[in-house]
């Protein structure tokens, strides 16, 4: 079974992960993983932390050269900002240095009471979205494996606040190149300017802004996931992963929130065309009864505004219980653009995990043979 654990604090020495269950004999392109990490750091509305960090991954185990051995893979991303924070991170804080003013919307308050360390700093370090850097590295490796078995994952920013980009086919390469070259990862040039202006206004006002990310996954064969048990449903598995990403508050598969659709217009009619079983629409987002149906798996993830705002908000001092104004800690104006990259990679891990559950394989070419045979024969049943 493919699984991982990750560790590390936002301003600690490094982020680290151990990935277990990766098939052997897969040749990893480390440069591609680093390019994915760079994609995560880019985008309009990012804060000054990204001017410090230049994320690259180092492999400590599980590879011989650039080829997987089947052993657990250890990955590490060092934090350059650690040098500026090492005294704060490594030393026991004095009573006067402890943070006791929680920011609304963060994990500050709940972490303070759950773990009882007496310093919100301990919660900040692990709840930070900095953790998504190592998850992106894990997913970037999984994306490489998926691409080599005919599965590709792409994304775009669908909305920024109440502004929306148009719907496009992400697997039109010309279209997708345009999206990837946009600083806000949208297609329409007029919308791009509106997104940028909206972010600029929020920055001037001391505000932050949320939005929506659209993900499309092409090439997942019919039959991944299961309805036999509640915890094996593919949409449930993907939802769990997506909702675990910092700032994501909702997920919508296909057009499930379009209240104008009725039973006969929402459900995707089954057709036989060009000697293939297809759907005339994809309102269900490629998943029915918790199982992939062969169409693109598509969903929208809704990202809330970042809680760290310069504009004053009411909170309390946890020691005195007196009302105070919230404090500000360095952050982005919007996390929507980087979230699109993070989510691509987070779901890559989950898709590969479910592929390996369906086609257990210790070696990559065994996996490739098994899935290719399945694709060739499944519709002959």
């Amino acid at each position: 079974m493919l699984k991982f654990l990750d560790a590390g604090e936002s301003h600690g020495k490094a982020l680290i992960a151990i990935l277990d269950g990766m098939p052997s004999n897969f040749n990893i392109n480390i440069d591609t993983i680093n390019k994915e990490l760079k994609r995560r750091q880019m985008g309009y509305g990012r804060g000054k932390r990204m001017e410090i960090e230049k994320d690259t991954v180092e492999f400590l185990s599980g590879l011989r050269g650039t080829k997987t051995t089947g052993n657990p893979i250890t990955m590490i991303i060092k934090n350059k900002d650690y040098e500026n924070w090492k005294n704060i991170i490594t030393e026991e804080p004095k009573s006067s240095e402890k943070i006791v003013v929680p920011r609304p919307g963060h994990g500050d308050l709940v972490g303070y009471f759950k773990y009882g360390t007496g310093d919100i700093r301990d919660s900040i370090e692990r709840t930070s979205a900095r953790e998504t850097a190592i998850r992106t590295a894990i997913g970037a490796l999984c994306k490489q494996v998926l691409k080599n078995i005919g599965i590709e994952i792409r994304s775009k920013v669908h909305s920024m606040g109440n502004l929306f980009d148009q719907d496009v086919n992400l697997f039109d390469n010309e279209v997708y190149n345009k999206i990837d070259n946009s600083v806000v990862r949208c297609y329409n040039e007029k919308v791009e300017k509106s997104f940028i202006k909206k972010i600029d206004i929020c920055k001037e006002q001391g505000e932050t802004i949320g939005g929506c990310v659209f993900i499309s996954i092409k090439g997942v064969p019919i039959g991944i996931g299961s309805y036999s048990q509640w915890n094996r449903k593919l949409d449930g598995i993907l939802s769990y992963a997506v909702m675990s990403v910092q700032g994501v508050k909702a997920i919508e598969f296909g057009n499930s929130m379009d209240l104008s659709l009725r039973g006969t217009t929402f459900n995707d009619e089954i057709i036989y065309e060009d000697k293939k079983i297809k759907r005339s629409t994809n309102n269900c987002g490629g998943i029915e009864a918790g199982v992939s149906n062969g169409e693109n798996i598509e969903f929208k993830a809704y990202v809330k505004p970042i809680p760290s705002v310069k504009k004053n908000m009411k909170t309390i001092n946890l020691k005195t219980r007196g009302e105070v104004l919230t404090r500000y800690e360095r952050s982005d104006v919007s996390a929507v653009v980087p979230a699109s990259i993070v989510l691509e990679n987070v779901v890559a891990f989950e898709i590969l995990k479910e592929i390996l559950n369906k086609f257990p394989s210790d070696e990559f070419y065994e996996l490739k043979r098994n899935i290719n045979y399945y694709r060739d024969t499944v519709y002959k049943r």
Side-chain angles (χ1 to χ4, degrees):
M1 180 180 177
L2 193 67
K3 57 186 178 181
F4 78 89
L5 280 176
D6 73 88
E9 283 80 36
S10 178
H11 300 99
K13 287 186 178 181
L15 301 168
I16 194 165
I18 297 175
L19 176 64
D20 191 33
M22 182 63 68
S24 65
N25 289 327
F26 181 75
N27 197 38
I28 293 173
N29 187 325
I30 297 174
D31 287 341
T32 299
I33 296 175
N34 288 332
K35 285 178 182 176
E36 205 70 8
L37 290 172
K38 186 176 180 180
R39 288 177 78 213
R40 174 193 165 274
Q41 291 188 286
M42 296 170 69
Y44 203 76
R46 293 293 253 157
K48 291 189 176 182
R49 177 77 186 264
M50 294 305 102
E51 296 174 10
I52 299 170
E53 304 294 351
K54 303 295 179 188
D55 291 340
T56 55
V57 68
E58 181 182 349
F59 286 81
L60 304 183
S61 70
L63 298 185
R64 193 158 189 184
T66 57
K67 193 173 284 187
T68 58
T69 61
N71 297 331
I73 295 172
T74 307
M75 309 166 78
I76 186 170
I77 298 172
K78 294 177 181 176
N79 291 328
K80 290 188 177 181
D81 206 17
Y82 170 69
E83 289 302 315
N84 302 318
W85 286 77
K86 59 183 178 182
N87 291 337
I88 297 172
I89 297 300
T90 58
E91 296 176 6
E92 184 71 26
K94 299 174 184 177
S95 181
S96 61
E97 295 172 338
K98 291 182 178 181
I99 300 172
V100 293
V101 176
R103 297 160 297 172
H106 268 285
D108 296 2
L109 182 70
V110 294
Y112 180 89
F113 285 109
K114 179 174 175 63
Y115 291 104
T117 66
D119 188 0
I120 288 173
R121 169 59 56 196
D122 299 313
S123 303
I124 294 171
E125 288 300 312
R126 189 58 183 164
T127 57
S128 168
R130 177 72 185 146
E131 182 259 356
T132 62
I134 197 68
R135 290 182 75 183
T136 298
I138 292 164
L141 170 52
C142 295
K143 276 177 78 173
Q144 287 185 39
V145 178
L146 291 173
K147 193 168 184 179
N148 275 270
I149 57 174
I151 298 171
E152 194 167 357
I153 304 170
R154 293 184 175 183
S155 71
K156 73 188 258 321
V157 173
H158 178 67
S159 69
M160 189 73 67
N162 59 356
L163 301 173
F164 292 84
D165 191 25
Q166 69 191 80
D167 294 331
V168 291
N169 176 13
L170 296 188
F171 293 97
D172 180 320
N173 289 332
E174 186 176 335
V175 167
Y176 198 61
N177 286 337
K178 188 174 180 181
I179 291 167
D180 247 359
N181 288 323
S182 166
V183 292
V184 286
R185 303 204 70 243
C186 74
Y187 176 74
N188 188 294
E189 292 177 9
K190 289 183 179 179
V191 173
E192 178 184 53
K193 291 177 182 176
S194 298
F195 281 5
I196 291 170
K197 185 177 179 181
K198 178 79 81 171
I199 292 170
D200 286 342
I201 290 170
C202 287
K203 186 175 183 179
E204 290 172 9
Q205 295 175 341
E207 281 281 11
T208 59
I209 189 167
C212 175
V213 170
F214 173 69
I215 304 282
S216 186
I217 310 170
K218 182 180 181 181
V220 178
I222 191 171
I224 304 302
S226 176
Y227 48 74
S228 66
Q229 290 292 341
W230 64 269
N231 60 344
R232 292 184 61 196
K233 294 185 177 184
L234 184 59
D235 43 1
I237 290 165
L238 292 176
S239 296
Y240 188 1
V242 169
M243 293 296 292
S244 75
V245 174
Q246 291 86 338
V248 177
K249 299 301 287 183
I251 183 171
E252 171 195 9
F253 285 92
N255 294 313
S256 55
M257 290 174 66
D258 187 343
L259 301 180
S260 69
L261 295 173
R262 298 189 179 189
T264 54
T265 52
F266 176 80
N267 294 295
D268 307 309
E269 292 185 325
I270 303 167
I271 59 175
Y272 189 70
E273 185 177 273
D274 300 327
K275 296 184 178 180
K276 292 181 180 179
I277 297 173
K278 300 179 180 179
R279 303 301 175 110
S280 58
T281 55
N282 193 19
N283 292 318
C284 287
I287 299 175
E288 292 171 313
V291 181
S292 60
N293 65 12
E295 299 295 321
N296 289 1
I297 294 174
E298 295 182 337
F299 64 85
K300 297 183 185 78
Y302 294 83
V303 183
K304 71 175 182 177
I306 294 169
S308 279
V309 292
K310 290 183 178 179
K311 200 171 183 178
N312 290 334
M313 291 184 69
K314 290 181 181 179
T315 184
I316 64 168
N317 181 306
L318 295 176
K319 288 296 184 184
T320 66
R321 296 300 200 261
E323 188 176 287
V324 294
L325 295 177
T326 187
R327 59 189 183 81
Y328 175 71
E329 185 146 333
R330 180 184 59 187
S331 75
D332 301 338
V333 178
S334 176
V336 182
V337 177
S340 66
I341 307 303
V342 171
L343 288 168
E344 283 184 28
N345 290 286
V346 165
V347 298
F349 170 81
E350 299 298 335
I351 294 293
L352 182 58
K353 175 168 67 72
E354 291 308 305
I355 291 288
L356 286 168
N357 285 345
K358 173 75 173 170
F359 308 101
S361 308
D362 294 317
E363 193 264 346
F364 172 69
Y365 292 100
E366 177 187 8
L367 169 64
K368 198 167 185 177
R369 285 192 301 271
N370 289 344
I371 194 168
N372 285 342
Y373 175 78
Y374 177 79
R375 281 194 172 107
D376 291 340
T377 60
V378 65
Y379 287 111
K380 296 177 182 177
R381 294 178 176 180

